[in-house]
Amino acid sequence: MPPSLLSLMLVVFGLTTGEFVIAGILPDVADDLAVSVPAAGRLVSAYALGMIVGGPVVTALTARLPRKPLVTGLVAVSVLANLGSAAAPNYPVLLATRFLAGLVVATFFAIAIATAVSTAPAGRAASAVAKVALGLNLGIILGTPLGTVIGQEFGWRATFAAVAALTAVALAMVLRFVPALPAAATGQLRDELRVFAGRDVRLAIFLTALGNVGVVTVFTYIAPLLTEVSGFAEGAVPVLLLVYGAGAVAGNFLGGRLSDRDLMPSLIRLLGALAAALALFWAVGGVRPLAAALTFALGLLAFAVVPGMQTRVLTTAGAAPTLAVAVNASGYQVAAAFAGWLGGALISDGPGLRSLFPVAALLTLAGLATAVHIHRRDRRPAAAGAEPV
């Protein structure tokens, strides 16, 4: 892999670790700051809200900046925000630093994905997205469990300090290896924003949000689910996060290949399998060997849908792919923000922790229905234009 792409992948790895590691240290943060687990779960929502705001706003405002200074600035903000999280004296400050850390992520992901797709051979766009997403997968399979171990051994603040250090190394590599690139847009902002007038783009972004909200709800509270529902010891959580991450890596490449072959039908099948896995976890999650196997399955299926969803946005976005992908990342984070709130409400005021599984399955089925609707819309023009037999 060229050093420039390796540098960008390492940034993705650092950003992903910073986003998802909170799932492994959630109880420690709650105990240390004297807040409830649902309140600590809102730290995920704060990060997600940063991405929701930053996706359209930061990308639109920086569309005419040269790519290398922009990427450098985005990564530098991430380093500072994670250092701020490590030093946060109380819960409100930690919320603010998590919001700031999320503010730059969608724009960076959009630049990385759009660059990969623009250089991909014809018919391999989804596989190119999968290669960029490898850094995301490694953030889950390596970064999240390692960050959890660091948090358990040295305190949760050390986890955020380690994320800041890793991202700083990636920043040095970006400065050394990433070439100067022109701005993503040269026209007027209003011309870029016209991409969202298309119903296909809006449906693709909606599919990303709705199709992911269920499994993100479960992942946000994966540590207490594994310990309190499945009966694993706290020390087993990093290992099980590793299992989830291994599934994510496998699912990422599987999803890329399936989407290159047949985009919407593959998404429909994968969303159906994901809903089934969530329902099965609810039914047999108290049996530890089955819970471990289903943890792998959830990782695989949750990330198998990602390349296809990103590719769907790119194929409908036309002349504004970077902005569309950034807004799509914001759509995913709408799901994450809602997931943090929904999970907390179900745990505190609803039927309890285990109910996350059937609720997540129902939400995923709603995403499946959206994918079916999109597929039917795609088939209508061909049917309308067919010659009568």
Side-chain angles (χ1 to χ4, degrees), residues 21 23-25 28 143-153 159 237-238 241:
V21 76
I25 60 174
D28 303 297
T144 299
L146 287 175
T148 301
V149 170
I150 290 171
Q152 290 175 347
E153 293 295 323
T159 297
V237 172
L241 288 174

Side-chain angles (χ1 to χ4, degrees), residues 111-319:
I111 294 170
I113 289 171
T115 300
V117 169
S118 68
T119 59
R124 300 299 302 274
S127 294
V129 172
K131 290 176 182 177
V132 171
L134 179 60
L136 188 150
N137 299 143
L138 292 176
I140 295 172
I141 192 173
L142 294 178
T144 299
L146 287 175
T148 301
V149 170
I150 290 171
Q152 290 175 347
E153 293 295 323
F154 303 104
W156 63 268
R157 296 178 187 278
T159 297
F160 288 118
V163 170
L166 170 67
T167 313
V169 171
L171 175 57
M173 292 182 64
V174 166
L175 290 170
R176 172 66 178 84
F177 295 114
V178 173
L181 296 171
T186 56
Q188 297 296 316
L189 177 58
R190 62 177 177 271
D191 296 328
E192 292 276 304
L193 293 174
R194 284 195 187 114
V195 68
F196 301 110
R199 187 175 182 187
D200 286 339
V201 175
R202 298 198 305 270
L203 275 173
I205 294 170
F206 181 70
L207 173 62
T208 295
L210 187 57
N212 284 288
V213 66
V215 72
V216 172
T217 301
V218 167
F219 186 79
T220 299
Y221 295 93
I222 193 70
L225 282 168
L226 291 172
T227 55
E228 297 180 30
V229 174
S230 300
F232 288 101
E234 184 178 322
V237 172
V239 177
L240 290 165
L241 288 174
L242 187 67
V243 170
Y244 183 96
V249 170
N252 178 56
F253 288 107
L254 174 65
R257 290 174 183 172
L258 291 175
S259 297
D260 280 336
R261 292 177 190 171
D262 208 358
L263 180 58
M264 291 311 302
S266 70
L267 274 176
I268 290 168
R269 290 190 291 269
L270 290 169
L271 285 168
L274 179 56
L278 288 163
L280 189 59
F281 216 138
W282 170 72
V284 302
V287 182
R288 278 181 286 181
L290 294 177
L294 285 167
T295 300
F296 176 86
L298 286 185
L300 186 148
L301 293 167
F303 282 84
V305 301
V306 171
M309 288 178 174
Q310 293 282 12
T311 302
R312 177 67 188 185
V313 173
L314 285 164
T315 57
T316 58

Side-chain angles (χ1 to χ4, degrees), residues 11-22 25 47 74-88 93-94 96-105 156-168:
V11 174
V12 173
F13 174 73
L15 297 178
T16 302
T17 301
E19 177 178 7
F20 287 102
V21 76
I22 191 69
I25 60 174
Y47 192 100
L74 295 173
V75 180
V77 169
S78 177
V79 172
L80 293 174
N82 280 294
L83 287 175
S85 296
V93 173
L94 185 56
T97 59
R98 298 323 295 153
F99 176 84
L100 179 61
L103 200 62
V104 300
V105 175
W156 63 268
R157 296 178 187 278
T159 297
F160 288 118
V163 170
L166 170 67
T167 313

Side-chain angles (χ1 to χ4, degrees), residues 283-379:
V284 302
V287 182
R288 278 181 286 181
L290 294 177
L294 285 167
T295 300
F296 176 86
L298 286 185
L300 186 148
L301 293 167
F303 282 84
V305 301
V306 171
M309 288 178 174
Q310 293 282 12
T311 302
R312 177 67 188 185
V313 173
L314 285 164
T315 57
T316 58
T322 303
L323 182 58
V325 171
V327 173
N328 190 54
S330 295
Y332 181 91
Q333 295 306 318
V334 168
F338 180 72
W341 172 84
L342 175 63
L346 290 171
I347 295 168
S348 299
D349 306 316
L353 192 61
R354 190 169 182 173
S355 68
L356 297 183
F357 291 118
V359 171
L362 290 173
L363 289 168
T364 306
L365 286 175
L368 169 62
T370 302
V372 171
H373 173 68
I374 291 172
H375 185 47
R376 288 176 176 171
R377 276 178 54 85
D378 288 348
R379 292 165 62 91

